[in-house]
C-alpha cells in the first residue's frame, strides 16, 4: 500500500517536474516491472472480453432466429396471435372483434398477394404491355393496381388510373340508360323499333314481315348481324335475273360508303392481322347514331327475331338510336348524364380529338408475334356496343351501383337506406336469364345472356359444399384492349329481390366460388359490413380487369381473383 501511495505522489510530482533524477529512475523501473508482471493478467482479461462478446453474439442470433420463426408462424396462422401482448386489454370482454380484425388484415394481405401473382401470370401469358385490376368487397374498394406500361414507347407505367377501351362492357352501360327510360315510361321494350327509329327499314324473313323490338335487341335475339357478312351468301334461294344473290347485292350496295378497306390495308401494311371483319376497323366518322345505321340497316336478318341467340354489336347501335329517340336527346349527351349520376368520372366516349388524361395506348401483335401499335379507328359507329373508355375504379363503382339496386328491399328502405339508381324490379328483369339466349365465353362453358349482361344463376347449396353465388358479368374485346367486369352477388336469398321463375330456364349452377361469409367476418377497419344480418348494401364482390392488347380472355382470371377475396371472409 505504501509503495502505491509513494508511486502516486511521485507521479504527481513528475507532472510538475520537481522529482529528483534518482526518484525518476525508480519510477521508471517500477512501471517497467508492473507491465512485465501484469502481462498474464492482460491476456486473461482479453479472453474474458472475447468470451463475453461471443456469448452476446450467440444470444442476439438466437433471439433473431426465434423472432423470425415467430413471425413466420404468425403469418401462417393469420396473425391471430400477432398482438397477444394486448390481450390483457380484452380480459373480461368479448375478444372476437380483436381476433377478427387481425385475421381480416392477414386474409386481405394474402388475397392481394395471391391475386397479384395471378395478375402477373395473366400479363405474361398474354404478352400484354400493361394490365390493371380493381376489386371491391361489399361496396368497398380493397385493391386497385396496375402493372407494366400504358405507353410502351414513352415508358409510361400502367396504373389503376389508366383509362382504357372497355369494349363490350359499353353494352352494360347502355343497358342502364335503356332501363332508366323504361322506368320513366319513355320507352316500351316491346314496341317495334320503327316506332322510335323510322329510319330503320322493316324486315322480312322467308317472305314474311317480322318485327324487331328493343327487348330482343338487348338480348341478342333480333337477328341483326355482327361484323361478318359471310352469312348473306348462304341465305335462301333469292336470285336476280343475272343469277347473282339479290341479298348479297343489296349488302354490297349498303356498304358503299364504308371506308373500311383502307383500314384493312393499313393493318396489312403494318404486319397486322388479316381479317374479313373489316368493320372492326372502321375509320369513318358518323355524326349521329342514326347515320351509323347505314352500315347494316339494308342487310337481311340472320334469322327470325326472337327465335335464337346471335351476338351482335351492330344490334346495339340500333339500341342507341332507340335511346336517342326515347330520351329526345343526343345519345352521347344522355349517356354522359347517366355517367355523372352514377359517379363515373373517368368514363367517356372514345374520341380521338379530346384530351383524355391517363389514356392508355392499345396494342396488337403482328404475324410474327411482335407487339405493334393498333391502327387508328373511329368508334362512332358503335358507341353503345363498344365505344367507351373507362378505368377499373369506375367499372367497380358501376358494378356496385347495379348490385345495390338489385339487392335493395323494403327492409333497407325501412332502415333508412337510400334507394338504388334503378328499381329492384328493373334489376330483376335485367339480370334474369333469357331462356333462348344461351351463349358461351370461349372455353369457360355455356352461360345465359340476360339484358346487356351475361349471367350465371345462384346454384343449389348443399351440405359441406361451397355456396354457389349468382354471377353477372360482361367481357369486352376491342382494337387494342380486352376487358372484364364481374359481379358476384353474395346476398342471402331472403335479403335479395329474387326474380320470378323464367319458363324453360336452363341455366347451370355457378361453380368455383367459396362459401358465404359468416357474421362479423371483417371489422369496420377494412370497410366491410360486419354482419350479413345487417342492412348494409351491397353484399358482393366486384372485379374489373383491363389489358391494353386485343384477343385476351379475362373471365377465368376475374373469377379466380373473386375466389381469393371470398377467402377474406372465411
Amino acid at each position: 500500500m505504501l509503495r502505491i501511495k509513494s508511486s502516486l505522489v511521485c507521479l504527481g510530482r513528475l507532472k510538475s517536474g520537481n522529482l529528483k533524477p534518482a526518484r525518476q529512475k525508480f519510477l521508471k523501473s517500477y512501471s517497467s516491472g508492473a507491465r512485465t508482471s501484469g502481462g498474464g493478467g492482460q491476456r486473461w482479461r482479453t479472453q474474458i472480453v472475447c468470451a463475453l462478446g461471443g456469448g452476446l453474439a450467440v444470444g442476439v442470433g438466437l433471439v433473431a432466429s426465434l423472432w423470425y420463426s415467430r413471425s413466420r408462424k404468425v403469418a401462417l396462422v393469420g396473425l391471430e396471435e400477432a398482438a397477444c401482448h394486448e390481450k390483457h386489454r380484452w380480459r373480461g370482454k368479448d375478444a372476437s372483434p380483436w381476433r377478427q380484425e387481425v385475421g381480416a388484415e392477414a386474409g386481405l394481405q394474402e388475397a392481394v398477394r395471391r391475386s397479384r401473382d395471378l395478375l402477373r401470370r395473366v400479363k405474361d401469358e398474354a404478352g400484354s404491355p400493361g394490365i390493371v385490376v380493381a376489386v371491391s368487397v361489399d361496396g368497398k374498394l380493397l385493391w386497385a393496381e396496375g402493372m407494366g406500361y400504358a405507353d410502351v414507347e414513352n415508358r409510361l407505367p400502367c396504373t389503376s388510373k389508366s383509362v382504357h377501351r372497355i369494349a363490350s362492357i359499353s353494352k352494360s352501360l347502355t343497358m342502364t340508360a335503356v332501363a332508366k327510360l323504361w322506368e320513366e315510361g319513355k320507352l316500351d321494350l316491346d314496341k317495334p323499333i320503327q316506332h322510335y327509329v323510322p329510319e330503320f327499314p322493316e324486315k322480312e324473313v322467308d317472305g314474311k314481315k317480322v318485327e324487331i323490338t328493343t327487348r330482343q335487341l338487348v338480348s341478342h335475339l333480333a337477328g341483326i348481324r355482327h361484323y361478318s357478312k359471310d352469312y348473306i351468301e348462304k341465305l335462301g334461294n333469292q336470285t336476280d335475273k343475272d343469277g347473282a344473290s339479290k341479298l348479297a347485292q343489296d349488302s354490297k350496295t349498303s356498304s358503299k360508303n364504308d371506308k373500311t378497306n383502307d383500314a384493312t390495308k393499313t393493318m396489312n401494311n403494318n404486319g397486322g392481322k388479316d381479317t374479313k371483319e373489316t368493320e372492326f376497323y372502321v375509320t369513318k366518322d358518323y355524326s349521329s347514331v342514326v347515320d351509323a345505321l347505314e352500315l347494316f340497316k339494308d342487310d337481311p336478318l340472320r334469322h327470325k327475331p326472337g327465335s335464337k341467340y346471335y351476338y351482335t354489336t351492330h344490334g346495339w347501335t340500333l339500341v342507341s338510336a332507340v335511346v336517342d329517340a326515347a330520351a329526345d336527346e343526343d345519345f352521347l349527351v344522355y349517356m354522359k348524364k347517366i355517367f355523372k349520376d352514377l359517379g363515373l368520372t373517368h368514363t367517356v366516349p372514345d374520341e380521338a380529338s379530346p384530351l383524355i388524361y391517363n389514356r392508355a395506348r392499345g396494342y396488337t401483335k403482328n404475324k410474327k408475334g411482335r407487339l405493334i401499335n393498333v391502327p387508328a379507328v373511329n368508334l362512332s359507329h358503335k358507341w353503345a356496343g363498344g365505344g367507351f373508355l373507362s378505368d377499373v375504379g369506375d367499372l367497380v363503382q358501376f358494378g356496385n351501383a347495379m348490385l345495390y339496386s338489385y339487392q335493395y328491399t323494403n327492409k333497407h328502405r325501412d332502415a333508412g337506406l337510400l334507394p338504388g339508381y334503378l328499381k329492384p324490379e328493373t334489376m330483376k328483369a335485367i339480370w334474369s336469364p333469357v331462356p333462348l339466349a344461351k351463349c358461351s365465353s370461349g372455353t369457360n362453358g355455356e352461360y345465359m345472356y340476360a339484358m346487356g349482361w351475361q349471367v350465371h344463376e345462384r346454384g343449389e347449396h348443399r351440405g359441406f359444399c361451397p355456396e354457389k353465388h349468382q354471377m353477372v358479368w360482361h367481357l369486352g374485346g376491342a382494337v387494342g384492349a380486352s376487358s372484364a367486369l364481374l359481379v358476384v352477388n353474395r346476398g342471402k336469398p331472403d335479403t335479395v329481390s329474387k326474380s320470378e321463375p323464367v319458363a324453360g330456364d336452363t341455366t347451370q349452377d355457378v361453380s368455383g366460388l367459396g362459401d358465404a361469409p359468416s357474421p362479423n367476418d371483417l371489422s369496420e377497419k377494412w370497410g366491410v359490413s360486419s354482419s350479413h344480418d345487417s342492412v348494409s348494401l351491397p353484399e358482393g364482390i366486384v372485379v374489373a380487369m383491363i389489358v391494353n392488347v386485343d384477343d385476351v380472355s379475362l373471365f377465368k382470371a376475374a373469377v379466380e381473383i373473386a375466389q381469393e377475396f371470398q377467402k377474406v371472409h372465411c
Side-chain angles (χ1 to χ4, degrees):
M1 179 67 70
L2 181 61
R3 183 179 180 182
I4 294 174
K5 288 182 178 180
S6 300
S7 300
L8 293 175
V9 171
C10 292
L11 286 172
R13 291 179 179 179
L14 181 63
K15 291 181 180 180
S16 61
N18 296 327
L19 292 178
K20 295 181 178 181
R23 188 170 295 181
Q24 292 178 358
K25 184 177 181 180
F26 166 76
L27 289 174
K28 184 177 181 181
S29 63
Y30 170 80
S31 299
S32 177
R35 287 195 298 269
T36 303
S37 63
Q42 181 71 22
R43 290 193 297 271
W44 180 73
R45 287 193 297 271
T46 302
Q47 292 174 358
I48 291 178
V49 170
C50 291
L52 289 175
L56 182 62
V58 171
V60 171
L62 186 59
V63 170
S65 177
L66 290 174
W67 176 84
Y68 177 73
S69 176
R70 174 69 172 172
S71 64
R72 287 195 62 183
K73 182 178 179 182
V74 165
L76 292 175
V77 300
L79 296 178
E80 287 191 3
E81 303 299 332
C84 59
H85 61 281
E86 296 183 0
K87 279 187 176 180
H88 67 277
R89 296 196 299 121
W90 295 90
R91 289 177 181 174
K93 302 178 182 179
D94 181 13
S96 296
W98 168 77
R99 291 181 180 274
Q100 288 166 6
E101 180 177 321
V102 174
E105 178 179 358
L108 177 60
Q109 292 175 349
E110 181 65 10
V112 170
R113 185 190 69 80
R114 293 175 66 90
S115 297
R116 185 179 290 119
D117 181 67
L118 175 63
L119 204 66
R120 290 193 183 100
R121 283 190 280 132
V122 172
K123 180 183 179 299
D124 293 342
E125 291 174 6
S128 174
I131 187 170
V132 285
V133 65
V135 181
S136 73
V137 178
D138 295 345
K140 304 298 181 181
L141 185 66
L142 297 186
W143 181 45
E145 186 172 342
M147 295 179 183
Y149 293 101
D151 186 333
V152 175
E153 292 167 301
N154 295 299
R155 315 306 283 172
L156 299 179
C158 200
T159 72
S160 60
K161 298 298 184 182
S162 298
V163 176
H164 299 259
R165 287 174 175 161
I166 61 172
S168 288
I169 297 176
S170 302
K171 296 177 175 68
S172 302
L173 292 169
T174 302
M175 187 62 224
T176 306
V178 172
K180 201 66 177 176
L181 293 170
W182 184 26
E183 285 184 348
E184 295 170 353
K186 298 179 180 179
L187 174 58
D188 187 336
L189 296 181
D190 298 309
K191 279 189 175 182
I193 51 97
Q194 285 80 12
H195 177 79
Y196 302 100
V197 190
E199 295 86 351
F200 194 82
E202 293 184 348
K203 296 294 182 180
E204 293 185 358
V205 175
D206 296 332
K208 298 180 180 178
K209 285 188 178 182
V210 293
E211 290 184 348
I212 298 175
T213 66
T214 306
R215 188 185 297 274
Q216 293 167 344
L217 287 170
V218 297
S219 297
H220 300 283
L221 298 175
I224 303 292
R225 70 174 178 85
H226 197 36
Y227 298 121
S228 176
K229 298 182 180 182
D230 292 346
Y231 76 100
I232 296 177
E233 299 291 345
K234 302 176 183 179
L235 279 179
N237 295 318
Q238 296 182 5
T239 57
D240 59 12
K241 295 180 180 180
D242 298 327
S245 169
K246 184 175 184 301
L247 295 176
Q249 187 181 42
D250 291 343
S251 174
K252 293 176 182 177
T253 302
S254 67
S255 60
K256 283 182 179 179
N257 294 325
D258 291 352
K259 295 182 179 179
T260 57
N261 290 333
D262 292 339
T264 306
K265 291 178 182 178
T266 302
M267 284 291 291
N268 291 335
N269 291 337
N270 289 336
K273 299 176 182 178
D274 186 12
T275 175
K276 294 180 180 178
E277 298 171 355
T278 55
E279 288 171 355
F280 200 56
Y281 304 100
V282 170
T283 58
K284 180 177 180 178
D285 185 21
Y286 291 94
S287 60
S288 70
V289 292
V290 173
D291 290 343
L293 298 178
E294 74 174 36
L295 269 173
F296 61 93
K297 69 178 183 179
D298 293 323
D299 294 336
L301 299 180
R302 291 187 62 94
H303 55 76
K304 182 180 178 181
S307 63
K308 64 175 68 175
Y309 172 88
Y310 182 78
Y311 188 88
T312 169
T313 291
H314 286 328
W316 282 83
T317 302
L318 185 52
V319 171
S320 67
V322 172
V323 171
D324 190 287
D328 194 22
E329 194 169 23
D330 180 78
F331 173 73
L332 289 183
V333 173
Y334 187 72
M335 288 304 301
K336 289 176 182 177
K337 291 181 179 179
I338 297 288
F339 298 156
K340 183 177 180 180
D341 291 344
L342 290 170
L344 310 183
T345 56
H346 302 109
T347 305
V348 294
D350 186 0
E351 299 174 290
S353 56
L355 295 178
I356 300 174
Y357 293 100
N358 299 315
R359 188 193 321 222
R361 299 195 65 168
Y363 300 91
T364 187
K365 294 180 181 179
N366 62 15
K367 294 179 180 179
K368 294 182 179 181
R370 294 183 64 85
L371 197 70
I372 60 173
N373 292 312
V374 294
V377 294
N378 190 298
L379 302 183
S380 59
H381 69 290
K382 58 175 182 179
W383 295 127
F388 294 120
L389 299 169
S390 190
D391 62 18
V392 287
D394 270 15
L395 293 182
V396 166
Q397 165 71 13
F398 172 59
N400 279 313
M402 297 297 100
L403 183 61
Y404 185 106
S405 297
Y406 182 83
Q407 293 178 336
Y408 191 83
T409 64
N410 292 337
K411 180 181 74 173
H412 302 104
R413 182 195 62 195
D414 295 341
L417 268 68
L418 296 173
Y421 187 70
L422 296 175
K423 297 176 182 178
E425 296 79 10
T426 305
M427 288 305 305
K428 285 190 293 182
I430 291 176
W431 283 2
S432 292
V434 176
L436 289 172
K438 182 182 293 186
C439 53
S440 64
S441 297
T443 60
N444 300 308
E446 286 188 335
Y447 303 101
M448 306 297 291
Y449 205 89
M451 293 183 176
W453 292 85
Q454 288 175 273
V455 62
H456 221 331
E457 283 287 72
R458 181 187 180 92
E460 184 177 357
H461 191 195
R462 300 182 182 278
F464 212 72
C465 296
E467 189 167 354
K468 300 174 181 178
H469 301 293
Q470 180 195 38
M471 295 193 302
V472 289
W473 71 93
H474 214 295
L475 308 179
V479 177
S482 304
S483 59
L485 174 60
L486 171 68
V487 179
V488 181
N489 175 16
R490 301 187 310 132
K492 294 292 185 180
D494 57 345
T495 63
V496 176
S497 300
K498 289 185 68 64
S499 58
E500 294 297 323
V502 180
D505 189 356
T506 58
T507 56
Q508 302 175 12
D509 290 344
V510 180
S511 60
L513 286 176
D515 203 359
S518 57
N520 298 317
D521 278 328
L522 283 182
S523 69
E524 288 299 323
K525 176 179 179 180
W526 297 106
V528 181
S529 59
S530 61
S531 173
H532 279 260
D533 294 328
S534 68
V535 292
S536 60
L537 286 179
E539 295 179 70
I541 301 172
V542 180
V543 180
M545 298 179 68
I546 309 176
V547 295
N548 56 344
V549 70
D550 48 25
D551 295 331
V552 179
S553 176
L554 298 174
F555 178 70
K556 182 179 179 182
V559 171
E560 290 181 2
I561 290 176
Q563 290 174 342
E564 293 300 332
F565 280 84
Q566 180 76 9
K567 296 174 186 176
V568 171
H569 300 268
C570 297

